[in-house]
């Protein structure tokens, strides 16, 4: 136990020595994200794909919650949810969002903002099919973000669906699926000593990414 603690402390000292430089970052922010994400995966952190998702309704009031990143490539960042949830209703009327990842042990944050579109039904089907049976049933049973009479009501809804689909082979509910956030900007933040952190901003101009350093 004591040895582990000592190792972790050393690890932290090492990471504090990392830097992020506008002259050496990848010219493509997706590649820079992939580099950092691979390092997070290798570090064994719990739920490294958890990200805060901020949306706003037509009145402009922001709301924020955690979701899990399930795929990313040059088209954007994909998460799955219920289209009828609060976030879903906000996105349908105002299809813009911001994401934030925070990996404390690496002293790193990534922010992304951009426009949001639904993934194709085929992509949602594909992901729904690989969810564990009880997660599929749970997604189908939950009218996400709606007021419900109590926990017993939800458990009964799950029980009813389990009775109808004992193998868990339930089809994807039409109101459940993925969204893709297509970035217009990225910001990579690396913690540095004395609060003199590195912040590298990528903004999209036509087909190019412009890179700038922001003051911490
Ligand atoms: C770590 C973590 C991961 C989560 N991942 C998801 C997710 O991928 N999709 C989802 O719909 N909700 C996810 N949730 C639940 C949401 O934070 C939220 O409670 C739910 O989506 C309803 O949000 P809304 O009422 O703003 O639509 C997650 C919560 C936590 C704490």
């Amino acid at each position: 136990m004591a040895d582990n603690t000592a190792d972790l402390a050393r690890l932290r000292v090492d990471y504090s020595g990392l830097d992020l430089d506008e002259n050496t970052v990848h010219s493509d922010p997706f590649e820079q994200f992939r580099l950092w994400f691979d390092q997070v995966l290798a570090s064994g952190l719990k739920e490294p794909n958890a990200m805060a998702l901020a949306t706003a309704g037509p009145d402009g009031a922001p709301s924020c919650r955690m979701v899990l990143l399930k795929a990313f490539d040059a088209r954007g960042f994909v998460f799955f949810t219920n289209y009828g949830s609060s976030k879903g209703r906000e996105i349908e009327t105002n299809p813009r969002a911001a994401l934030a990842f925070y990996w404390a042990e690496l002293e790193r944050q990534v922010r992304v903002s951009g426009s949001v579109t639904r993934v194709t039904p085929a992509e949602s089907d594909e992901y729904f099919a690989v969810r564990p049976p009880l997660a599929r049933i749970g997604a189908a049973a939950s009218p996400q973000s709606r007021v419900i009479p109590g926990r017993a009501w939800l458990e009964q809804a799950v029980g009813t669906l389990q009775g109808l689909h004992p193998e868990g082979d339930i089809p994807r509910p039409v109101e459940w699926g993925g969204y893709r956030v297509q970035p217009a900007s990225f910001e990579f933040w690396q913690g540095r000593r004395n609060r003199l952190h590195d912040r590298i901003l990528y903004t999209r101009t036509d087909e190019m990414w412009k890179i700038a350093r922001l003051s911490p």
Side-chain angles (χ1 to χ4, degrees):
M1 184 68 180
D3 283 347
N4 271 342
T5 310
D7 284 349
L8 285 178
R10 264 203 300 279
L11 211 61
R12 184 176 174 85
V13 170
D14 283 349
Y15 284 127
S16 297
L18 291 179
D19 65 358
L20 189 64
D21 192 287
E22 59 272 41
N23 298 308
T24 53
V25 287
H26 208 291
S27 57
D28 179 344
F30 289 100
E31 291 303 323
Q32 183 64 36
F33 184 85
R34 186 178 303 282
L35 185 75
W36 274 22
F37 199 67
D38 285 347
Q39 290 173 355
V40 185
L41 290 178
S43 72
L45 296 188
K46 191 179 170 200
E47 293 204 311
N49 57 335
M51 56 188 187
L53 163 75
T55 54
D59 63 356
S63 62
C64 185
R65 80 291 288 156
M66 303 302 292
V67 292
L68 294 178
L69 176 71
K70 288 294 173 180
F72 73 91
D73 58 24
R75 293 171 300 166
F77 290 72
V78 174
F79 63 92
F80 291 87
T81 192
N82 187 308
Y83 292 136
S85 65
S86 297
K87 77 180 89 47
R89 283 178 276 137
E90 290 193 345
I91 290 169
E92 297 297 323
T93 54
N94 177 11
R96 291 184 294 167
L99 306 172
F101 296 85
Y102 175 49
W103 301 304
E105 290 79 353
L106 300 174
E107 299 177 340
R108 284 175 173 173
Q109 172 180 247
V110 178
R111 297 166 63 179
V112 171
S113 70
S115 55
V116 191
T117 52
R118 289 190 185 196
V119 304
T120 63
E123 284 177 279
S124 292
D125 286 341
E126 194 182 337
Y127 174 63
F128 193 74
V130 300
R131 281 167 68 98
L134 282 177
R136 274 181 261 163
I137 298 262
S142 168
Q144 195 178 51
S145 311
R146 307 280 176 186
V147 174
I148 54 172
R151 174 121 202 141
W153 180 92
L154 191 59
E155 285 172 3
Q156 194 180 353
V158 168
T160 303
L161 285 177
Q162 273 179 316
L164 291 170
H165 305 276
E167 310 296 330
D169 54 346
I170 187 166
R172 175 178 66 85
V174 286
E175 73 275 15
W176 189 95
Y179 283 115
R180 177 174 280 114
V181 180
Q182 188 189 0
S185 72
F186 284 76
E187 185 200 314
F188 292 82
W189 183 100
Q190 174 70 61
R192 299 290 304 275
R193 291 197 184 89
N194 305 324
R195 303 188 65 81
L196 297 179
H197 312 305
D198 290 327
R199 297 179 63 191
I200 302 299
L201 176 70
Y202 293 76
T203 40
R204 201 175 181 105
T205 50
D206 301 323
E207 289 308 298
M208 300 284 291
W209 288 98
K210 191 164 85 62
I211 297 178
R213 173 178 287 266
L214 301 179
S215 177

